[in-house]
Amino acid sequence: FFGRPPLYVEPGIRTGMPIRYDNPAEVGADRIVNAVAARELYGAPVVVVDFGTATTFDLVNAAGEYAGGIIAPGILISAEALFAHASRLYRVDVRRPADLIGRNTAGAMQAGIYFGYIGLVDGILERLQAEKGKKGKKGEKGKSRSDAELRQEFHEAVARFKQEAEAEAPGSRSP
């Protein structure tokens, strides 16, 4: 497809990044590829946030090693659980609502899903920053993106997930 043979990323492949995980074979190839790419693009230390079925936070330490990570349910999995298990709630679009405070059920659900997920991401990143402050060395820093850039990427990811969800479940219920 790209005029090159595929590279299969699996346990034992040499990436140039030591994996400091209790059992390195447990780390998904996607997480390793993300960590290697982020280190190459932004330097170390760096935190990679990947929005997918799960939302993962992967840490590359100042030495350029994969230091571990955090796995949380993805935004669509969380929304699907709400739709499936709350008897009086229905499927809504996952998008930024006009207001923080919903004035109807759909708006309240959208606010909870959207801003709740931003809170999850912000909260984990704040805790990681605080943890780094406890363990990090003075003057240690990596390239980072502004909050505006991160939020824009989040909005784009939500839009992509919405399109994927609509493609998978046409004719979903709406208010």
Side-chain angles (χ1 to χ4, degrees), residues 47 49 51 57 96 114 118-119 121-127 129 143-156:
V47 175
V49 183
F51 298 95
F57 299 77
R96 182 182 186 136
Y114 185 85
I118 287 175
V121 172
D122 285 348
I124 289 175
L125 291 175
E126 286 172 15
R127 287 173 187 262
Q129 197 64 13
K143 295 180 185 175
S144 63
R145 315 260 283 244
S146 72
D147 284 347
E149 289 173 309
L150 291 171
R151 288 190 193 285
Q152 179 62 34
E153 287 184 23
F154 178 75
H155 297 311
E156 291 168 3

Side-chain angles (χ1 to χ4, degrees), residues 41 61-62 68 82-83 104 111 144 166:
L41 290 170
N61 65 21
L82 182 65
F83 305 149
N104 55 53
S144 63
E166 288 173 351

